[in-house]
Amino acid sequence: ASFTISLHKADNTSVTIKLKPGLPANCRIRMKYVIMSELKIKPGDNVTFTFTCSTPEKYFIMEIQKNIDCMSGPCPFGDVHLYPPGLPRLNRTYIWDVKASTKAGLELKFSTSWLRQIEPGETCPDSVSYNINSSIDNAMVNIGTFCRNGSVSRVKLLGGVVMSLHLPWHLPLATSGFNIASRASIKRLCIIESILKRESSITLMSPNYPLGFPEDELMTWQFVIPPNLRASVFFHNYSLSNCERKEERVEYYIPGSPSNPEVFKLSDSQPANIAGTFNMSLQGCDQDAQNPGILRLLFQVVVQHPQVDENVTHLVDLSKEKNMTVTIHLEGWPSRTPLVAEPICLICKDPRTCDRALTLTSGAVYRISFLCKDLSQLRITAEKGIGCMDIRWCQKKIYSLSVPKAITRLPIRLHKFNWKLLATDMINIEITSPSLKLQQPVPEQRCNTSYSYSIVSATPETELNLGVFCPGGSIEKIQMRNNITISLKPFGKGFINESIPQDLKMSFVPHIKDECIFTVSPNPKAKVYLQTPNSPYGLPPYISISWFIAVPSKQTARLRFSKDRMGIACETGRAYVNIKEETPGAEEIVRREDELLPQPRNMLHSFWVNVSNCRPVDKTQLALQFWVTLADKQIDLGIIIAVVAGAGVLTVIGLTVCCVKKKKKKTQNPMVGVYNDNVNTQMPGRKGSFGKGRQNNESHVYAVIDDAVVYGHLLKESNGSVSPEVDVYRPFDGPIGSVPPSPPPFSFRKDIKCSSNTEEEPLPLMDIDQDTYTFAHQKSGQSEDNGDANKKDKGDTGMPLLENKEQDGLVG
């Protein structure tokens, strides 16, 4: 097909058709007998041409430029038409270059299809885009690139303007969609007007973005908003130049504000919850000529209806907390940015200071409110730091790792609470769960609570991910080296009203040799699953982990590994599994990585399990799982029979002894014990046995009283014979000498038969010191000498008590 383009000279319009950059010349332009790659049609020309291919839109683009001079004559104000007609269907760009004086202003007014500014490199959905440039003293400033269907209704510029409209080849567009009007000087670079009739969110940028805003320039954005809506401004990306004079700032003119204009730094939180129309201006400064820097700004304006509970405030008391931050934010923050069409949630520190994310620090009390229809979009992320640099100051302290009530009382779901536990190299951290205890979730042992803990130990050399733990298990205590991060993460909404209290606590303890030690008290009614940290990836090289399994005295523990081998090959070092009961002389079971793991075994006492890793040959790391079950101790049948048999033998022996004893009682009369303070009872050759004196020892106390002996504390004489008063034992309350009391005189042994030719051995007496006593009595005529003899000998005895002559005299 052939095309004819006829340009009137008065229109001051030119057309250029050229190949797309980077494409081969597989298609050409033929004009009569000339074939060319580019065709330029000047004002007043009438040109007919064809293409050498059937799809020229793949290879060619077209530019239509119209020059408008408003300085030397009147400007053709009004609607801007797409001229000339009858152009080939190519991707085309219309350019309107308007020359105007800086003493006057030009206004680009767009039709009902208003514009939406996009970032550099972004494309429009329908491939229709507008680009606006301001021309001041031959200096071009890019006001921005815009798509259709937005909120920008007018752009006012100082001086000339270069307006571009980019259209795709397949879209027939009859009008340009804007008109040009003349205005008085606006005394600033430009004014961009945006009309927001309903809830929406728009993004705008400073001129030349992402390059620098012109030096010492001023521009304004006008936001026309119904009075029943509220607007909030958020700065998402900005940078500052190096100013020699003045200061870069943002000024707001808000109708009804007592302090117009309100001046803010770019680093400040910008106004929020603004009712109705307002203006915002960006002011540059005089820049340093040697190092000017860049002033740029990308910001967002969010318009929404006032919230029903916008006047409802929530008290967040962090005055007693230390080293803690609480951030309230949108779900997915900061990586996820809500879509423009999504309703926005704002968190406000005061009625005019609101943002999508609000961070509160410890040591203060806050009253916050929410501009949000659906609070379920919001989350809380909190962090608390606990440190110890000197064990003397923090060893005895116990810290509670629980979420403060100031957070749980808010109507916002908790996303995560992190505890950063910091200690020096020789200080370790102990985590305990006294009542709830912890468990490691495995496929056979799921968590049934609404939250879990993630524990990570970070050392200068390596990071050890201990794993995920939840309440309701058997792990009472975890000891770890160096710095630790504990993260509480809820599973759902139930954490806010969690009925199970949090009991996780931590303290600082002296140095331990292993990277981690678990203390486990198995639940007698359940199987306890335990696994090496960093599961399923395995232990890092050269890491040693220990478990102490507490076994009650009346129970036994069954230990079993989930697989037969460790499943690794060591490049350097050795990997070991050590098992040892905590009892004297217990055998230690040791297995290397090239050996079979121990078979299931019963442990009668509390025991240790230690796993030490090597540097494996390949990327496969050491990962082990084992479980422990408790059962009551079972008594062996052989032991029961042996005990019964032993009891029978003891019964027979007991009966025999009783019979002999009963027979013995029938053949002897009771011996009567009296106290005689004139008899010396010291043992020959054993000086010093009672060196303390009787006041300082218990030598006068009877250790054993034989069943066949009774004591009379009074001696009565009747008809020349002695008749003892038979009674039970009474404590002696008479005078105490310096030697133990004497045994009863032999004269009261009525059952002893006399013999002039035989000596009989005395009956042995029981004594706790196993001292042997020789019983003696006083001879006639020695009563007065006995005291002197005692003073000389200090315990030497006289004649043996069982002398025949004395026996005959006493018995007769």
Side-chain angles (χ1 to χ4, degrees):
S2 63
F3 301 92
T4 300
I5 298 177
S6 180
L7 300 177
H8 300 288
K9 194 168 185 179
D11 291 336
N12 205 13
T13 301
S14 61
V15 176
T16 302
I17 301 174
K18 57 186 177 180
L19 284 170
K20 291 181 180 179
L23 289 182
N26 294 334
C27 188
R28 298 294 191 90
I29 302 171
R30 178 184 290 119
M31 190 172 62
K32 293 184 179 181
Y33 303 105
V34 179
I35 295 178
M36 60 191 74
S37 298
E38 182 174 325
L39 173 62
K40 290 184 178 180
I41 306 173
K42 298 178 183 179
D45 290 346
N46 188 352
V47 177
T48 301
F49 62 93
T50 60
F51 295 99
T52 61
C53 63
S54 60
T55 56
E57 67 273 6
K58 294 182 180 179
Y59 302 96
F60 290 95
I61 58 175
M62 181 167 51
E63 289 183 359
I64 305 99
Q65 180 169 335
K66 181 178 179 63
N67 296 320
I68 303 174
D69 186 2
C70 294
M71 297 181 71
S72 59
C75 285
F77 297 126
D79 292 338
V80 176
H81 301 283
L82 298 180
Y83 175 84
L87 296 175
R89 291 164 60 93
L90 302 176
N91 291 339
R92 56 203 180 276
T93 301
Y94 290 90
I95 302 173
W96 295 272
D97 186 354
V98 182
K99 306 291 184 182
S101 171
T102 56
K103 296 180 180 179
L106 290 177
E107 178 183 282
L108 305 178
K109 187 176 181 180
F110 300 93
S111 59
T112 54
S113 179
W114 295 330
L115 304 185
R116 172 177 63 87
Q117 190 171 8
I118 61 173
E119 295 186 45
E122 188 178 352
T123 59
C124 297
D126 60 0
S127 299
V128 177
S129 64
Y130 294 85
N131 185 262
I132 304 173
N133 288 270
S134 175
S135 175
I136 302 177
D137 300 330
N138 296 322
M140 298 293 291
V141 178
N142 181 17
I143 303 301
T145 302
F146 302 81
C147 300
R148 295 192 297 179
N149 300 319
S151 64
V152 176
S153 59
R154 289 189 295 179
V155 176
K156 302 175 184 178
L157 301 114
L158 182 66
V161 61
V162 178
M163 178 73 176
S164 301
L165 170 61
H166 304 276
L167 298 176
W169 67 270
H170 57 81
L171 183 64
L173 197 63
T175 61
S176 63
F178 71 95
N179 62 49
I180 300 176
S182 177
R183 289 289 179 267
S185 176
I186 59 176
K187 299 181 180 180
R188 60 199 66 203
L189 176 63
C190 67
I191 299 174
I192 298 177
E193 180 186 81
S194 183
I195 300 176
L196 301 161
K197 293 184 176 180
R198 60 184 66 88
E199 283 190 324
S200 57
S201 172
I202 62 170
T203 300
L204 296 166
M205 284 145 275
S206 59
N208 282 341
Y209 187 90
L211 301 179
F213 185 70
E215 181 179 4
D216 196 23
E217 278 290 355
L218 172 67
M219 75 157 295
T220 299
W221 289 271
Q222 293 180 334
F223 300 99
V224 180
I225 302 171
N228 63 321
L229 295 178
R230 301 292 183 266
S232 302
V233 179
F234 306 100
F235 287 3
H236 293 306
N237 189 13
Y238 69 89
S239 64
L240 303 176
S241 58
N242 298 315
C243 297
E244 281 190 346
R245 291 184 303 166
K246 301 181 183 179
E247 185 179 9
E248 295 165 337
R249 64 191 183 274
V250 180
E251 297 179 355
Y252 291 89
Y253 182 85
I254 302 173
S257 173
S259 56
N260 279 322
E262 297 185 19
V263 180
F264 290 79
K265 294 180 180 180
L266 275 74
S267 57
D268 294 337
S269 293
Q270 304 303 309
N273 205 25
I274 303 171
T277 299
F278 69 97
N279 293 350
M280 174 185 136
S281 298
L282 175 64
Q283 175 67 63
C285 67
D286 290 333
Q287 299 174 351
D288 183 356
Q290 301 298 324
N291 183 22
I294 292 177
L295 171 61
R296 60 186 172 191
L297 173 63
L298 182 147
F299 66 99
Q300 183 182 29
V301 177
V302 177
V303 176
Q304 56 190 8
H305 287 287
Q307 305 303 308
V308 176
D309 58 346
E310 65 176 332
N311 296 322
V312 176
T313 59
H314 301 269
L315 181 68
V316 182
D317 187 357
L318 303 180
S319 58
K320 297 181 181 179
E321 299 292 342
K322 294 181 180 179
N323 301 323
M324 188 169 80
T325 60
V326 178
T327 301
I328 305 173
H329 55 86
L330 285 170
E331 184 179 11
W333 172 88
S335 58
R336 177 182 174 271
T337 302
L339 299 175
V340 175
E342 290 184 11
I344 192 170
C345 276
L346 301 178
I347 307 100
C348 303
K349 256 196 312 191
D350 56 61
R352 288 279 299 279
T353 306
C354 305
D355 208 335
R356 284 178 170 172
L358 176 65
T359 298
L360 311 176
T361 57
S362 54
V365 179
Y366 303 89
R367 293 186 180 274
I368 65 173
S369 59
F370 302 101
L371 295 177
C372 185
K373 287 185 176 180
D374 184 10
L375 292 180
S376 66
Q377 299 181 51
L378 297 178
R379 297 289 183 271
I380 297 176
T381 297
E383 182 172 302
K384 182 178 179 66
I386 303 175
C388 179
M389 300 297 109
D390 190 338
I391 193 66
R392 294 174 297 176
W393 295 102
C394 43
Q395 184 173 3
K396 296 182 179 179
K397 292 183 179 179
I398 298 177
Y399 302 87
S400 175
L401 304 184
S402 58
V403 180
K405 292 183 178 179
I407 295 177
T408 58
R409 287 172 178 168
L410 289 173
I412 308 299
R413 188 185 304 181
L414 179 67
H415 170 65
K416 186 185 292 185
F417 197 109
N418 296 327
W419 289 274
K420 300 280 188 179
L421 313 180
L422 308 176
T424 57
D425 290 342
M426 297 308 293
I427 301 176
N428 297 147
I429 295 169
E430 181 176 285
I431 305 166
T432 59
S433 181
S435 58
L436 298 180
K437 303 181 185 178
L438 300 176
Q439 72 174 22
Q440 292 175 290
V442 294
E444 300 83 1
Q445 180 179 266
R446 300 289 186 181
C447 292
N448 56 5
T449 55
S450 62
Y451 64 94
S452 65
Y453 298 101
S454 173
I455 304 177
V456 177
S457 172
T459 66
E461 297 83 14
T462 183
E463 181 178 283
L464 177 60
N465 183 6
L466 210 61
V468 176
F469 299 82
C470 51
S474 299
I475 301 174
E476 288 185 343
K477 182 168 59 179
I478 304 174
Q479 291 176 307
M480 300 184 69
R481 290 164 57 179
N482 296 310
N483 300 334
I484 295 176
T485 298
I486 302 176
S487 300
L488 183 150
K489 191 170 180 62
F491 294 143
K493 299 179 181 179
F495 179 78
I496 296 176
N497 300 315
E498 180 63 76
S499 59
I500 301 177
Q502 307 165 60
D503 78 331
L504 200 67
K505 303 182 185 304
M506 66 80 55
S507 58
F508 295 99
V509 296
H511 187 71
I512 60 174
K513 66 175 184 176
D514 290 334
E515 278 72 11
C516 180
I517 298 177
F518 295 88
T519 300
V520 183
S521 295
N523 186 346
K525 299 180 180 180
K527 184 184 292 186
V528 179
Y529 291 88
L530 300 168
Q531 61 186 7
T532 50
N534 205 34
S535 179
Y537 306 106
L539 282 179
Y542 308 121
I543 294 294
S544 178
I545 306 292
S546 293
W547 292 264
F548 176 72
I549 317 295
V551 181
S553 59
K554 295 183 179 181
Q555 292 182 312
T556 61
R558 182 75 170 174
L559 171 65
R560 181 168 186 171
F561 288 88
S562 62
K563 55 185 180 181
D564 297 333
R565 293 183 178 273
M566 299 188 203
I568 62 169
C570 292
E571 180 180 352
T572 55
R574 287 286 193 180
Y576 291 95
V577 172
N578 298 58
I579 304 171
K580 187 176 181 180
E581 288 187 296
E582 182 121 309
T583 183
E587 176 189 3
E588 183 172 7
I589 302 168
V590 181
R591 295 291 188 273
R592 291 193 317 231
E593 80 281 354
D594 56 352
E595 298 176 328
L596 290 172
L597 290 172
Q599 293 295 316
R601 57 191 304 111
N602 292 329
M603 313 298 287
L604 303 179
H605 307 88
S606 298
F607 62 96
W608 288 88
V609 176
N610 174 266
V611 177
S612 302
N613 197 13
C614 61
R615 178 178 292 280
V617 173
D618 51 22
K619 294 182 180 180
T620 303
Q621 297 293 342
L622 177 57
L624 288 180
Q625 183 187 98
F626 60 93
W627 59 84
V628 178
T629 54
L630 293 182
D632 294 334
K633 285 185 177 179
Q634 302 294 328
I635 301 177
D636 188 72
L637 183 60
I639 297 176
I640 296 175
I641 295 174
V643 169
V644 172
V649 172
L650 291 175
T651 303
V652 172
I653 294 173
L655 292 174
T656 304
V657 171
C658 289
C659 292
V660 173
K661 195 170 185 181
K662 187 173 183 182
K663 183 177 181 181
K664 181 179 178 182
K665 285 184 178 180
K666 290 180 180 181
T667 60
Q668 67 178 23
N669 291 325
M671 179 182 286
V672 180
V674 296
Y675 180 77
N676 184 353
D677 60 355
N678 294 321
V679 178
N680 186 356
T681 60
Q682 295 286 358
M683 186 174 76
R686 294 287 299 274
K687 295 183 179 182
S689 296
F690 296 91
K692 289 185 178 181
R694 294 191 58 219
Q695 291 86 349
N696 300 323
N697 63 40
E698 298 180 352
S699 60
H700 59 288
V701 178
Y702 288 94
V704 176
I705 301 176
D706 193 281
D707 292 341
V709 179
V710 294
Y711 293 87
H713 70 290
L714 297 175
L715 295 177
K716 295 183 180 180
E717 295 183 3
S718 176
N719 297 327
S721 63
V722 179
S723 176
E725 180 180 344
V726 179
D727 199 355
V728 295
Y729 171 74
R730 295 184 179 90
F732 177 72
D733 56 2
I736 300 176
S738 61
V739 293
S742 172
F746 187 76
S747 58
F748 299 118
R749 290 288 302 274
K750 294 182 180 181
D751 58 337
I752 302 297
K753 295 181 180 181
C754 297
S755 173
S756 60
N757 300 324
T758 347
E759 290 186 0
E760 291 186 19
E761 292 295 327
L763 293 174
L765 298 179
M766 297 179 65
D767 185 79
I768 59 173
D769 292 329
Q770 302 299 323
D771 290 334
T772 305
Y773 287 83
T774 301
F775 297 162
H777 72 282
Q778 174 183 338
K779 289 185 178 182
S780 63
Q782 290 182 345
S783 61
E784 294 182 5
D785 297 334
N786 190 50
D788 295 335
N790 286 340
K791 292 179 182 179
K792 292 180 182 180
D793 293 342
K794 295 182 179 180
D796 289 346
T797 59
M799 184 182 297
L801 181 63
L802 300 181
E803 188 177 356
N804 295 338
K805 186 185 293 186
E806 291 295 314
Q807 292 177 6
D808 294 340
L810 290 172
V811 175

